[in-house]
Amino acid sequence: MTAQGGVAEAARRSGSCAGVVCKDLPKTNVFTQSLPPDPVFPTPKDSHKASRRELGPRRVRGALYTYVRPEQTKNSELLAVSHRAMRDLGLKEGEDRTQEFKELMAGNRIDWSEETGTGIYPWMAIVQRTPNPFNAPLVNNSFSGVWAGQLGDGRAISLFETTNPATKTRYELQLKGAGRTPYSRFADGKAVLRSSIREFIVSEALNALRIPSTRALALTLTDATVIRERIEPGAIVARFAQSWLRIGTFDVLGFQGNRNLIRTLATYVAEHVFPGWSTLPAHHAPDKPILSDPPRGVDPFEIQGPADIAENRFTRLYREIVRRNASTVAHWQAYGFINGVLNTDNTSILGLSLDFGPFAFLDNFDPSYTPNHEDHEFRYSYKNQPLIIWWNLTRLGESLGELMGAGAHVDDESFKTSLVTPEFAPEVVNRAEKVIYRVAEEYDAVFQANYNQLMRARLGLLSESETDHKDLISPLLATLEALELDYNHFFFRLSSIRLGDLDTDIQRNQVASVFFHAEGLSAVGVTELEARARIASWLLVWQSRVAPDWASNGEMGDADRRAAMKAVNPKFIPRSWILDEVIQRVGKGKERKVLERVMKMVENPFATEWGGDRDEEERWCGDVPRSRRMMTCSCSS
């Protein structure tokens, strides 16, 4: 048994809570072992002896990554860690206080020996951006819906992969903001403290809300000064995910016309990102309903379905990626999260929320709200997110189109080694188009099923009714919009209401005011009496629908219902105004404990108190100051 294997076995026997120190984390580099490197610097030694100027930025072709090391920092400060993230990685409690951990998080330590050439050398994966083209162009080409050039996340350097010995989940650990890379374009590869605090907090917030997301392990203040819209302090976010591959990774290969690498990357995704080809969803007949949990276990080389839409393993892979993203967008919509920028390089193959720029959670319910102050056309607004993600997934369909369109011939030697012949091309195109059209229906069905399930849970419903969306969910959203009510506060406050307090019109009208802002009703053109009546009318429908689901235990049943709702409706959401306050207090005020307190709330959003500054907790969980609702921010980071 290897030394790493012995550590892993010991961790399994001792349980996940024990954890290991940094040097004993089981480390791998399956990504760099499986995929082709930058041909200019094909080995770690080649990259290590090259100067920063030689490494780039520059155009890279025929590769999926470049070996590149983080820039070292002389004076850095570990500002915060996520203790939940440490546990999920399998790190020992208290390891964040060690110098080794701090050096690793600052980019000053890598798991590679220059003397022996052994270990794992850091790398950065290539990706490109195809922005969504809806409406007119925004302020520059990067929002125009055309190819915006080779990007990568030009600041994110992967250190190694590590597998939690207890859960067997493998993660790829990155440093964002650790310096210039070949994919930094004209930028410096740095990240500012402002945006780093935002990403650090929201990554863990989404995870705690059970929304698929990349994770954040640590936040480090560096000695760099970074020029964006102004001069700002630099920072590094140590983050991890099961994979950082995006649709944009396929985009760059498609733009380069590299069909062999598209096949190689798709195979890698199925075999190393997902659990294997046989775990992908089986074909569903056109005359059958689309299932939320379809059968799996199909042999990788089996062809399913009629000839004109024959599904090979690459089609099943595409469908899995589509289904995962549909589920994630449903979570965004159910919890009022807006990413702010959703190009193909911001869309995960695994369906994870990632690359957090001008994001926000809804305050008042406004479907047209976008937190991106450059998005004058509302392209990335809350209501457009499902459509934008589908547009991005269509771009992935185009990248995989040749493989899907080949159907049963995908493994023919002539197809693998030669370009598609003119005679075969119409069949390939026709089949690929039909497959993508059918998958669009699957995307919509999976999105709707997941969204309705999440909303039923938020409303305390145990049973399903086909009319729930029409009778309960849509009227609620229309009411929240018309009366300018806070989206997440509504669900949290609804969780505390006793059904017995809604038996009469008078009671329902009295309860209705619970949902108003602290200053009262803020909507224009609606009287308070009208607002109370509208909410009371909806409460009557809701009471009639939810009561039978919990009626068997009487008053105890209603208590159970309230507890169940509080388990899915958070008291705390890291809203934009709170993030701004934390940024100011950490940056200008030099406070540090505030990060520790907010992270405790972030990691436990369904708690009612957190043992910190009670006044601060209640202020952050209370009404959003009127002048700070629905804030916007810059993409600059």
Side-chain angles (χ1 to χ4, degrees):
M1 180 180 290
T2 65
Q4 285 187 354
V7 170
E9 182 61 30
R12 280 193 292 272
R13 286 196 298 267
S14 62
S16 61
C17 60
V20 298
V21 298
C22 284
K23 67 181 180 62
D24 289 338
L25 278 176
K27 302 177 182 70
T28 58
N29 56 327
V30 177
F31 187 91
T32 58
Q33 289 179 328
S34 305
L35 299 168
D38 183 344
V40 179
F41 302 102
T43 70
K45 283 189 175 181
D46 293 325
S47 176
H48 198 73
K49 68 184 181 183
S51 67
R52 288 281 170 187
R53 184 177 296 275
E54 289 176 295
L55 286 172
R58 57 188 168 79
R59 180 63 51 85
V60 177
R61 298 184 67 88
L64 282 163
Y65 66 92
T66 298
Y67 289 112
V68 60
R69 60 196 177 276
E71 292 181 12
Q72 293 203 344
T73 58
K74 293 181 180 179
N75 299 300
S76 61
E77 178 189 355
L78 181 65
L79 294 179
V81 297
S82 165
H83 295 286
R84 179 170 291 182
M86 290 186 67
R87 290 193 297 271
D88 289 346
L89 277 179
L91 282 168
K92 180 181 179 180
E93 184 178 353
E95 180 64 8
D96 55 302
R97 295 190 290 271
T98 67
Q99 191 61 29
E100 181 178 5
F101 180 89
K102 294 174 182 177
E103 290 291 297
L104 185 67
M105 298 301 101
N108 291 335
R109 183 187 293 267
I110 62 175
D111 189 53
W112 183 82
S113 169
E114 184 176 3
E115 290 75 21
T116 64
T118 58
I120 297 173
Y121 199 86
W123 71 92
M124 180 171 183
I126 192 171
V127 70
Q128 82 173 35
R129 171 191 300 165
T130 303
N132 190 282
F134 298 136
N135 305 316
L138 291 184
V139 295
N140 57 50
N141 183 60
S142 69
F143 291 89
S144 65
V146 298
W147 183 65
Q150 167 192 293
L151 294 175
D153 187 332
R155 304 169 292 179
I157 297 173
S158 296
L159 299 180
F160 50 79
E161 302 150 354
T162 185
T163 300
N164 184 307
T167 65
K168 307 297 190 297
T169 303
R170 189 181 74 200
Y171 298 104
E172 183 178 326
L173 180 65
Q174 289 188 337
L175 299 181
K176 182 175 180 179
R180 186 172 294 175
T181 72
Y183 312 108
S184 298
R185 297 177 293 163
F186 54 82
D188 52 19
K190 305 291 187 180
V192 299
L193 178 62
R194 163 179 49 86
S195 65
S196 299
I197 289 174
R198 286 171 55 84
E199 174 157 354
F200 178 70
I201 290 175
V202 78
S203 300
E204 292 303 281
L206 292 175
N207 177 70
L209 291 169
R210 308 179 191 106
I211 299 174
S213 177
T214 58
R215 305 291 301 284
L217 173 62
L219 174 67
T220 299
L221 179 68
T222 70
D223 55 2
T225 53
V226 183
I227 301 175
R228 292 297 182 262
E229 292 158 343
R230 58 186 183 274
I231 297 176
E232 301 183 61
I236 294 173
V237 175
R239 61 187 197 171
F240 62 94
Q242 290 169 267
S243 175
W244 291 98
L245 288 171
R246 310 109 185 282
I247 289 176
T249 318
F250 284 90
D251 274 358
V252 69
L253 303 180
F255 180 80
Q256 294 175 356
N258 198 328
R259 64 195 299 267
N260 291 333
L261 263 189
I262 290 176
R263 187 184 186 106
T264 298
L265 181 59
T267 300
Y268 173 84
V269 169
E271 295 178 352
H272 295 292
V273 176
F274 297 128
W277 290 108
S278 62
T279 65
L280 303 177
H283 172 79
H284 66 83
D287 59 339
K288 301 292 184 181
I290 297 171
L291 301 175
S292 294
D293 187 17
R296 297 169 188 265
V298 181
D299 184 273
F301 297 100
E302 182 177 342
I303 306 300
Q304 295 186 305
D308 64 329
I309 54 170
E311 290 189 11
N312 58 36
R313 63 185 181 278
F314 294 101
T315 298
R316 292 191 286 272
L317 174 63
Y318 178 54
R319 290 177 51 221
E320 176 70 5
I321 294 168
V322 166
R323 295 179 71 94
R324 285 173 177 253
N325 276 278
S327 175
T328 296
V329 182
H331 281 76
W332 292 350
Q333 302 305 99
Y335 281 91
F337 176 74
I338 308 101
N339 186 289
V341 177
L342 286 173
N343 302 315
T344 57
D345 65 323
N346 308 115
T347 308
S348 163
I349 292 298
L350 268 175
L352 302 174
S353 315
L354 83 169
D355 285 357
F356 305 104
F359 68 85
F361 286 91
L362 286 171
D363 294 323
N364 291 351
F365 183 73
D366 179 0
S368 297
Y369 170 61
T370 174
N372 184 341
H373 78 181
E374 296 177 1
D375 187 6
H376 307 300
E377 312 300 330
F378 306 101
R379 180 171 303 134
Y380 302 117
S381 64
Y382 169 81
K383 68 180 179 183
N384 277 343
Q385 290 187 131
L387 184 59
I388 288 176
I389 290 294
W390 171 246
W391 190 91
N392 292 343
L393 290 164
T394 304
R395 304 289 74 74
L396 176 64
E398 291 170 353
S399 296
L400 298 175
E402 190 176 283
L403 292 168
M404 297 191 298
H409 301 286
V410 72
D411 292 311
D412 290 358
E413 200 61 33
S414 59
F415 173 79
K416 291 166 62 177
T417 58
S418 305
L419 295 175
V420 175
T421 63
E423 295 77 19
F424 189 36
E427 179 184 335
V428 170
V429 172
N430 185 57
R431 184 180 292 113
E433 288 179 344
K434 286 185 176 180
V435 164
I436 293 173
Y437 180 80
R438 290 194 75 229
V439 175
E441 297 176 345
E442 188 170 12
Y443 173 82
D444 184 64
V446 172
F447 168 79
Q448 292 293 345
N450 278 271
Y451 177 75
N452 288 334
Q453 180 183 31
L454 290 163
M455 294 298 282
R456 286 189 185 100
R458 298 203 74 179
L459 291 170
L461 302 177
L462 296 176
S463 60
E464 293 184 15
S465 170
E466 291 184 357
T467 63
D468 280 340
H469 194 89
K470 177 176 66 71
D471 295 344
L472 205 60
I473 299 172
S474 287
L476 170 60
L477 299 182
T479 297
L480 295 180
E481 182 179 10
L483 302 183
E484 298 182 6
L485 301 181
D486 189 287
Y487 181 72
N488 279 298
H489 278 168
F490 183 91
F491 290 99
F492 179 73
R493 292 167 185 174
L494 187 69
S495 304
S496 298
I497 293 175
R498 298 174 182 273
L499 294 181
D501 292 337
L502 301 175
D503 288 338
T504 68
D505 286 339
I506 293 175
Q507 286 177 304
R508 289 189 293 273
N509 273 272
Q510 288 175 336
V511 167
S513 62
V514 169
F515 304 108
F516 292 169
H517 287 292
E519 75 271 11
L521 184 67
S522 60
V524 177
V526 183
T527 68
E528 183 176 325
L529 287 176
E530 291 170 337
R532 286 177 180 272
R534 183 164 181 171
I535 296 171
S537 176
W538 183 88
L539 287 171
L540 175 61
V541 176
W542 174 70
Q543 181 196 39
S544 302
R545 175 69 179 84
V546 75
D549 283 357
W550 301 89
S552 59
N553 291 327
E555 185 59 32
M556 284 298 295
D558 192 41
D560 291 340
R561 188 267 310 167
R562 294 195 301 274
M565 290 182 68
K566 288 177 181 177
V568 295
N569 291 314
K571 180 176 181 179
F572 177 74
I573 292 280
R575 299 168 185 263
S576 296
W577 76 277
I578 299 171
L579 294 173
D580 269 15
E581 178 181 317
V582 171
I583 289 166
Q584 290 296 316
R585 291 169 67 176
V586 172
K588 292 185 178 180
K590 308 300 180 184
E591 291 187 48
R592 298 295 182 258
K593 290 294 185 180
V594 67
L595 276 171
E596 184 179 323
R597 294 196 301 273
V598 77
M599 286 306 295
K600 193 169 185 180
M601 298 176 74
V602 159
E603 292 178 18
N604 303 279
F606 304 104
T608 54
E609 55 185 82
W610 294 267
D613 182 326
R614 187 61 186 271
D615 290 340
E616 180 181 73
E617 290 173 3
E618 290 304 309
R619 184 168 59 83
W620 283 349
C621 294
D623 210 43
V624 181
R626 188 166 190 171
S627 63
R628 310 197 73 185
R629 293 172 196 158
M630 316 300 276
M631 297 170 63
T632 62
C633 62
S634 168
C635 292
S636 170
S637 60

